[in-house]
Amino acid sequence: MYNKKIYQIPTILLLSVMLVACSSFIKTSYQTLGTTVHIVEAARQAYNNVYSLGGVSPDLDSKISALWPKYQDAMNAAISSSKAYQVATQNGLPASKEEVNIAIGNVEVLVNDLIALFSKAGVKDLPSNLAIERIK
Amino acid sequence: MSDLDKQLVISILQVLIQYGPQAYQAIMNILKKGDPTPADWDSLTQIVAKNLHDK
């Protein structure tokens, strides 16, 4: 079970992105998306702790419930485009980094929207704006 | 590994130790990996597939 202390999320993400900035494109993509997935998962579990204690209004929960599948779709699209890029380059086929970065941009928007709603629900000290660096 | 990279690794360790063993291990495994395998991508997909209120 994840610890509730999720106020370190922006620090983790920033440091992780800085650390992997010089790695290969596909490795960096995996590390960036993977770290984000685990951070959102920790935030989701923290939200569930608040929710299970009755601390979330039905209206707010419905907003988060509506946003959650959009985040899932965006993250799955980013993972799929990264996998496709990897397969294409391994087979000597042309592949677009831009498509991967566009997908990461979509993830960034939705992750920030989710975090804003998690904060409203009482999950404390979440960042107001995460910046997920595009991969070069 | 440069001094800056070493400092970043130490900072990550310090933060993630407080963050919880499961998240710490998962994120460190990701950061240590080379190019991902199909199974690595699939494991991310499985986490993303969880419903909002799943335990």
Side-chain angles (χ1 to χ4, degrees):
Chain A
M1 185 65 68
Y2 287 104
N3 192 294
K4 291 182 185 177
K5 293 180 179 179
I6 57 174
Y7 52 84
Q8 299 95 342
I9 284 173
T11 310
I12 295 168
L13 191 60
L14 176 65
L15 291 174
S16 303
V17 170
M18 288 171 69
L19 181 66
V20 302
C22 295
S23 304
S24 72
F25 179 84
I26 199 65
K27 180 178 169 185
T28 305
S29 172
Y30 172 70
Q31 291 177 333
T32 299
L33 292 174
T35 303
T36 305
V37 164
H38 282 279
I39 287 168
V40 171
E41 174 62 9
R44 184 190 71 82
Q45 292 192 15
Y47 170 74
N48 264 336
N49 288 334
V50 177
Y51 177 81
S52 64
L53 294 171
V56 181
S57 71
D59 179 55
L60 183 55
D61 184 61
S62 71
K63 287 179 183 173
I64 295 174
S65 295
L67 189 57
W68 184 253
K70 293 178 183 175
Y71 155 74
Q72 290 175 306
D73 289 345
M75 183 57 84
N76 283 328
I79 290 171
S80 294
S81 67
S82 297
K83 285 172 71 176
Y85 178 90
Q86 184 179 22
V87 170
T89 53
Q90 284 172 345
N91 290 292
L93 299 171
S96 169
K97 291 180 179 178
E98 189 58 27
E99 283 183 18
V100 177
N101 278 326
I102 288 171
I104 289 174
N106 293 336
V107 167
E108 181 183 67
V109 170
L110 288 161
V111 165
N112 280 309
D113 288 349
L114 260 182
I115 284 175
L117 291 177
F118 285 153
S119 294
K120 277 188 180 177
V123 179
K124 294 181 180 176
D125 301 315
L126 287 168
S128 58
N129 191 27
L130 279 180
I132 303 174
E133 190 170 311
R134 302 304 180 270
I135 303 163
K136 298 180 177 64
Chain B
M1 184 180 280
S2 69
D3 286 345
L4 176 60
D5 286 345
K6 289 175 184 172
Q7 288 174 13
L8 290 171
V9 169
I10 291 168
S11 298
I12 289 171
L13 288 174
Q14 288 173 335
V15 170
L16 291 180
I17 284 169
Q18 298 174 55
Y19 187 51
Q22 184 178 341
Y24 161 79
Q25 192 61 51
I27 292 175
M28 287 313 295
N29 285 344
I30 286 172
L31 294 178
K32 286 189 295 186
K33 282 220 47 104
D35 282 353
T37 65
D40 293 326
W41 290 115
D42 289 346
S43 70
L44 293 184
T45 304
Q46 287 171 8
I47 295 170
V48 174
K50 291 183 182 178
N51 292 319
L52 177 63
H53 294 301
D54 284 352
K55 294 293 181 189

